[in-house]
Amino acid sequence: MPTRGIKVAANESVREPRILESNVTGRKCWNWSIRPLIALSCFIGVDLTQPSKFGQKWKTAFGFIGLVIHAVLTVNSVIIIHGQLYQMVNMYFGEDGNHSRTFIWNMITDFINFEVGCLSTHWILFFVVRKKWPSLRKAFQSLIPLFDNELYDRLRRLSFAGVAHVVLMVTCLIIAATMSVVSTKTPFKITFLAISEVLVQFYPIFGIVLFTTVSYAASLSFQSITSKLNSEHLQACNLSNTDVFILKRYYVSACQTIDVINDCFGWLLLLVIPHLFVAKVNVTFYWFGNSNETTPIGGILFFIFHLVNLFVICIASDNIRFESDKLLKQLLRLELKSEINPCRKQVHELILHVALTSPRISALGFFYVGRKLIPTMIGTTLTYYFILRQFRSLEEKLVEYTLHWMIYSTDPINVSCHIVMSLMDYLQTNITTKKTVYFINLSYLFSERNEAARMSDKNWLWSTTPLVTWLKWLGVNLSDGNQTNSCRYFTLYSIFCLLFSIACQVLCLNYVLKHHKELSNTLVTENGFNSDAFTWNTVLDFVNFAAHGLGCHIVLVSFFSGRWNLLVEAFQDLESFLSADFFVGIRRASVMGVCWIIIMYTTLCFIVSSYHISNGSPFPVLCCTLVSVLSQVYPITAIFLFAVTSYASSNAYQTILWDLNVLKNQPMDKEHYDRLISLKKHHVLVCETIDHINNCFGWILGISLLFHFVSIITASFYLFGNERGRETLLEHMELSFFISQILHILLICFPPDLIQEKADAVLKELIQMQIEMTEPHKSVTNAFALQADHFFPEVTAVYFYPISGKIIPKIMGTTLTYFIILYQFHSSEKQ
């Protein structure tokens, strides 16, 4: 288990804590707050009500009968699949669909995954969750002091929303299955199979909703402890040892609740997450691998259904860790208050306990459940999809070769010989290429020095003015909104810029999708071959540019400004111990960022225009290309702003390191002790800037990294996927785009590495200092080192994955994999 609670002495006499208020109510409690889900559990045969003398046996019998009926339905479904396979293929893929063996085995895997997954989930809910639910109920009842009426009301609303989610999901799936059955002349057995398969989805969806509700309630307990630390009583620093003891007891109870959740839902998570992964692979192949021009509505609904469930599980699990980290940061702020010296030791012990028992949700210890699991699953899904697509393409080519020689050859003996020889040549070339693809692992996708600095003009706002002003010209206002008179006009200007950008991108994408073959011809020389793979690579490139530009533009206009103001406040708290030279360096970086953006995009537009004009490309093609290039100004400006703030945070760590080096050579007196406490406080403030950077730039970093990953793949295929003998301007254009993507990935990945390098230097310096120190300086330095170790900075893309230089080899490996796959499609078409 990820958490281990400490034992609290039951016989220790303590007075009533001042931080504890009576939250116990007569009507609103844990059972009342989740009663809607409990009622739904009785309806589906998984009774989670409190045991009673009357009716308990009948409830158990009803649930067991439902489990037996479910098992019979599963066996019957397997029999139907075995006997009605061809009719099911026609129902799912249509009469004109490609009934390849790859499709058939994908469909069989899908049915087995659904039947086994739903039955196993029902089994786990009935025998595991139902048995361990009383322990979970008891654990939440021990958290009654942490819950008030407002929190119980919130849980009650979430329970109703969960019931609505289950009913809505199953209803939509039933409608989609019914439409598929009605649109085709389907036998009764297959109709019964499709409807029953959808109905049994009640169990995995209910298990996911129940786990999400319980995880959210557990995160509320940590949030409640943090709110008690923020109370007026503690803000006045009127803290006693008993208050710290009660806080520790609350935290232990909350951690023990997490252990019970892991024990109760561990098997469910271990089954449901792989079930969703396999289903997502199958549905992706249904959606994008079918040869029909129309995509069935059922495939789209199932795809959305699996993505929603996966995100719900991961986000609910991560909320517990986020609230625990907030509690730890609040305790660190509390320890830094000089007025609470009488209980500083107890607060420090509580910090140690919270740091060492950070709660995590896991699937029986096999893997942790969180947002970082999603990119791994998406990358693996793409890998398996392309493998399935390759098998299907191989089958299609074999059929084409056979038909070709049967039509154009008259001698039966020659026909046989030609077919055998062609198959041998084709298989030899394809299998050789496949070996290369399969053996490439997909790795997926981390004294207050100068008080005069505050009083002077050289501060944080002054240092970032160039980039902020540049964004204002682009229609993104990052000011604090105090100038209300001009704000209205600027809001209209901002809306106009956004609408103009959306209109241009919509028009360009409409042209690209309608004239994709003509568009790709402009990027192929006379010696080149404009295959379907090359054409769709071009379409994907334009769509990728449009999604990146619009996505980052919407983020900047919508909620970026408010988060940027919080980041500005965090850096303004650092102005008290930062020198004026610090802000001069940030100012220079901002000016260099604006100059880089202007020079780079002016150069790219010149190269693109020169090529298309000299090549005689149609005017809409030139306009679409220029719109795609200029739309990247918004995300690249945001990336430079991220690089500047990351550079500032790393310099703040460097300032603390310099102060520690100075302090190491001074005598260990009271001034030395006070200086250590002050540096520890400064370190907390610097760590808060990293949190605000993640909060402010998380979505932009996630969108931009995905864009650059796809863009490098498409640019690689432009450069190396087609024949040589290319025109000089075309080669310069593609090479310039490829180099710009590489430089921007470096700009994203290396600033977080610089932050971690400086933070690691601070930690090593603290470890060396404490060796030669005596008490009480040694205790403070040890606590400082523990703080630096636990709050080691990490920049993430909305907590999905860490951003650092380590991600570059993964991108290179994945790019090489997909490039070989695209080249294989391209060469097979040419042959």
Side-chain angles (χ1 to χ4, degrees):
M1 295 299 172
T3 60
R4 288 291 180 269
I6 64 169
K7 294 182 179 180
V8 181
N11 57 354
E12 184 174 348
S13 60
V14 295
R15 61 176 174 81
E16 183 66 19
R18 290 166 291 180
I19 62 174
L20 174 60
E21 298 178 358
S22 179
N23 293 329
V24 183
T25 59
R27 180 176 65 89
K28 297 180 179 180
C29 59
W30 167 253
N31 291 329
W32 172 84
S33 62
I34 62 167
R35 189 170 296 166
L37 287 173
I38 299 298
L40 183 60
S41 70
C42 296
F43 174 75
I44 64 175
V46 183
D47 181 30
L48 298 180
T49 58
Q50 292 184 358
S52 59
K53 296 181 180 180
F54 305 100
Q56 187 64 32
K57 294 182 180 180
W58 292 105
K59 293 178 182 178
T60 304
F62 172 71
F64 186 75
I65 292 173
L67 183 60
V68 171
I69 294 174
H70 190 172
V72 172
L73 287 176
T74 301
V75 174
N76 183 56
S77 299
V78 174
I79 296 174
I80 294 175
I81 294 172
H82 184 267
Q84 306 285 335
L85 187 59
Y86 184 76
Q87 291 85 348
M88 292 172 59
V89 170
N90 288 336
M91 185 189 78
Y92 277 86
F93 309 131
E95 295 291 341
D96 56 343
N98 190 330
H99 304 163
S100 64
R101 290 185 177 271
T102 307
F103 264 107
I104 294 174
W105 280 108
N106 184 75
M107 187 194 67
I108 293 174
T109 305
D110 191 25
F111 271 95
I112 294 175
N113 178 53
F114 266 93
E115 297 296 340
V116 175
C118 293
L119 180 61
S120 302
T121 304
H122 192 175
W123 185 279
I124 291 173
L125 287 173
F126 187 79
F127 287 104
V128 179
V129 176
R130 189 174 67 93
K131 180 181 178 181
K132 298 182 179 182
W133 185 258
S135 300
L136 187 61
R137 184 192 305 117
K138 183 178 179 181
F140 273 104
Q141 286 174 349
S142 67
L143 299 178
I144 287 177
L146 296 176
F147 286 84
D148 55 10
N149 288 340
E150 181 183 354
L151 295 183
Y152 281 128
D153 288 335
R154 200 184 302 179
L155 283 177
R156 177 86 168 185
R157 290 193 294 269
L158 181 63
S159 299
F160 276 115
V163 173
H165 174 79
V166 174
V167 175
L168 182 62
M169 280 286 188
V170 175
T171 302
C172 291
L173 294 179
I174 289 176
I175 293 174
T178 305
M179 291 175 60
S180 299
V181 168
V182 171
S183 60
T184 57
K185 297 180 180 179
T186 308
F188 174 76
K189 289 184 178 181
I190 301 180
T191 303
F192 176 77
L193 172 64
I195 301 299
S196 63
E197 186 186 43
V198 171
L199 286 175
V200 296
Q201 290 298 310
F202 256 110
Y203 296 98
I205 302 176
F206 173 77
I208 292 171
V209 169
L210 188 63
F211 165 76
T212 303
T213 305
V214 170
S215 299
Y216 179 73
S219 67
L220 288 180
S221 64
F222 292 100
Q223 182 181 340
S224 179
I225 299 175
T226 307
S227 65
K228 291 181 183 299
L229 283 173
N230 292 326
S231 64
E232 295 181 1
H233 165 71
L234 294 184
Q235 291 299 323
C237 300
N238 187 16
L239 188 67
S240 67
N241 291 336
T242 305
D243 294 325
V244 178
F245 171 77
I246 296 300
L247 286 173
K248 192 173 186 179
R249 189 173 67 183
Y250 287 162
Y251 181 79
V252 169
S253 299
C255 286
Q256 289 173 345
T257 303
I258 303 301
D259 286 339
V260 177
I261 292 175
N262 282 325
D263 189 39
C264 185
F265 292 95
W267 280 105
L268 184 69
L269 293 175
L270 186 62
L271 174 72
V272 167
I273 291 179
H275 165 74
L276 291 176
F277 165 69
V278 176
K280 189 156 61 69
V281 173
N282 293 327
V283 173
T284 304
F285 193 59
Y286 286 152
W287 192 352
F288 301 105
N290 197 1
S291 59
N292 291 334
E293 296 181 358
T294 59
T295 302
I297 188 66
I300 300 175
L301 286 177
F302 270 95
F303 187 81
I304 297 173
F305 164 75
H306 297 308
L307 277 183
V308 168
N309 288 332
L310 184 61
F311 271 85
V312 165
I313 292 175
C314 295
I315 292 175
S317 301
D318 266 351
N319 281 339
I320 296 175
R321 182 170 58 89
F322 294 158
E323 294 298 334
S324 175
D325 288 342
K326 289 179 182 178
L327 172 61
L328 184 55
K329 292 171 185 177
Q330 186 61 29
L331 284 170
L332 286 171
R333 297 188 190 99
L334 188 64
E335 187 191 22
L336 295 173
K337 293 181 180 292
S338 59
E339 294 86 353
I340 64 168
N341 279 325
C343 59
R344 181 184 296 275
K345 182 178 179 181
Q346 286 73 15
V347 174
H348 178 65
E349 290 177 355
L350 179 56
I351 291 174
L352 282 175
H353 182 71
V354 175
L356 295 175
T357 60
S358 179
R360 297 288 297 273
I361 298 295
S362 69
L364 292 181
F366 286 96
F367 55 86
Y368 288 114
V369 182
R371 299 186 190 184
K372 294 181 180 180
L373 192 64
I374 296 177
T376 303
M377 296 185 68
I378 293 177
T380 312
T381 300
L382 287 176
T383 303
Y384 282 110
Y385 165 74
F386 279 113
I387 291 174
L388 291 173
R389 189 70 183 248
Q390 281 183 298
F391 279 117
R392 178 198 160 209
S393 178
L394 176 61
E395 291 185 63
E396 290 178 349
K397 294 302 178 183
L398 292 177
V399 173
E400 289 179 6
Y401 273 108
T402 304
L403 293 177
H404 173 78
W405 289 106
M406 290 294 292
I407 293 174
Y408 292 99
S409 183
T410 56
D411 189 357
I413 298 177
N414 289 336
V415 169
S416 302
C417 294
H418 281 302
I419 290 177
V420 172
M421 295 300 296
S422 299
L423 290 178
M424 293 295 293
D425 293 339
Y426 184 79
L427 288 174
Q428 183 178 2
T429 56
N430 277 272
I431 290 175
T432 303
T433 310
K434 286 178 188 293
K435 288 181 180 179
T436 307
V437 176
Y438 295 156
F439 280 99
I440 297 176
N441 275 333
L442 176 67
S443 305
Y444 190 81
L445 320 142
F446 238 97
S447 90
E448 315 305 349
R449 173 179 289 103
N450 279 326
E451 188 66 21
R454 179 187 293 273
M455 306 302 296
S456 66
D457 293 334
K458 295 179 179 180
N459 52 26
W460 176 254
L461 291 176
W462 172 81
S463 62
T464 56
T465 297
L467 282 170
V468 172
T469 304
W470 171 256
L471 274 175
K472 186 171 289 189
W473 280 99
L474 296 177
V476 180
N477 186 17
L478 298 184
S479 63
D480 55 3
N482 292 330
Q483 301 175 354
T484 55
N485 293 330
S486 60
C487 246
R488 298 177 181 176
Y489 298 102
F490 190 87
T491 301
L492 294 177
Y493 173 67
S494 179
I495 295 174
F496 168 76
C497 290
L498 179 60
L499 293 178
F500 181 76
S501 178
I502 293 175
C504 291
Q505 293 289 1
V506 169
L507 291 175
C508 289
L509 288 180
N510 183 51
Y511 178 83
V512 168
L513 294 176
K514 288 184 178 180
H515 304 85
H516 52 272
K517 204 69 178 180
E518 178 184 358
L519 181 63
S520 62
N521 280 331
T522 61
L523 302 176
V524 179
T525 58
E526 295 180 358
N527 297 330
F529 175 67
N530 189 13
S531 63
D532 288 340
F534 190 89
T535 300
W536 286 109
N537 182 76
T538 306
V539 173
L540 178 62
D541 195 26
F542 275 90
V543 173
N544 185 42
F545 269 80
H548 184 224
L550 279 181
C552 291
H553 194 171
I554 291 173
V555 169
L556 289 172
V557 172
S558 57
F559 57 83
F560 185 84
S561 178
R563 299 184 179 185
W564 171 257
N565 291 329
L566 295 176
L567 180 60
V568 169
E569 293 176 4
F571 274 104
Q572 286 175 340
D573 292 337
L574 303 180
E575 292 177 1
S576 60
F577 68 96
L578 296 176
S579 64
D581 294 337
F582 173 89
F583 298 106
V584 171
I586 304 302
R587 176 85 172 192
R588 290 172 182 170
S590 300
V591 173
M592 289 176 59
V594 175
C595 294
W596 170 268
I597 295 170
I598 294 174
I599 293 174
M600 184 185 68
Y601 281 97
T602 301
T603 304
L604 287 178
C605 289
F606 174 76
I607 294 175
V608 166
S609 301
S610 300
Y611 168 71
H612 284 292
I613 292 174
S614 63
N615 195 42
S617 302
F619 181 73
V621 174
L622 174 61
C623 291
C624 291
T625 309
L626 290 177
V627 167
S628 298
V629 172
L630 292 176
S631 66
Q632 305 308 301
V633 173
Y634 289 94
I636 299 305
T637 304
I639 290 174
F640 268 99
L641 202 58
F642 160 74
V644 168
T645 53
S646 300
Y647 174 69
S649 293
S650 66
N651 280 355
Y653 279 107
Q654 182 66 46
T655 302
I656 294 177
L657 181 62
W658 288 338
D659 287 344
L660 288 174
N661 288 326
V662 172
L663 199 61
K664 182 169 60 175
N665 300 322
Q666 293 181 355
M668 287 185 289
D669 51 10
K670 187 178 184 302
E671 183 180 356
H672 186 281
Y673 183 86
D674 294 338
R675 186 59 184 159
L676 271 176
I677 297 297
S678 178
L679 286 177
K680 188 179 179 186
K681 181 178 180 180
H682 294 164
H683 183 268
V684 172
L685 296 176
V686 177
C687 291
E688 288 181 347
T689 62
I690 306 300
D691 293 337
H692 286 293
I693 288 175
N694 285 327
N695 186 44
C696 188
F697 294 97
W699 283 105
I700 291 178
L701 293 177
I703 296 172
S704 295
L705 267 181
L706 180 62
F707 159 77
H708 289 298
F709 165 65
V710 177
S711 183
I712 287 178
I713 294 175
T714 56
S716 302
F717 193 61
Y718 285 145
L719 279 173
F720 310 109
N722 218 335
E723 285 69 17
R724 305 307 265 167
R726 311 170 63 91
E727 298 181 7
T728 304
L729 280 176
L730 178 60
E731 197 169 77
H732 288 172
M733 181 180 71
E734 295 171 353
L735 187 61
S736 61
F737 275 104
F738 184 80
I739 293 175
S740 67
Q741 305 308 322
I742 297 293
L743 292 177
H744 290 153
I745 280 208
L746 298 179
L747 190 63
I748 292 175
C749 294
F750 279 106
D753 278 346
L754 185 60
I755 294 175
Q756 292 188 345
E757 178 185 350
K758 302 299 182 182
D760 187 58
V762 170
L763 178 59
K764 291 179 180 178
E765 185 65 25
L766 287 169
I767 295 175
Q768 293 176 359
M769 287 177 61
Q770 60 91 22
I771 297 175
E772 301 176 356
M773 284 187 173
T774 58
E775 297 293 344
H777 300 76
K778 190 181 183 74
S779 299
V780 175
T781 307
N782 285 334
F784 196 173
L786 176 66
Q787 173 182 304
D789 180 53
H790 186 79
F791 288 108
F792 196 77
E794 184 180 65
V795 179
T796 63
V798 206
Y799 302 100
F800 285 114
Y801 50 86
I803 296 176
S804 66
K806 295 177 181 179
I807 204 172
I808 295 179
K810 298 179 181 180
I811 293 178
M812 292 173 59
T814 311
T815 300
L816 183 59
T817 302
Y818 287 120
F819 168 76
I820 294 176
I821 292 173
L822 287 173
Y823 189 80
Q824 187 176 2
F825 282 122
H826 177 74
S827 60
S828 63
E829 288 186 61
K830 186 178 180 180
Q831 291 174 2

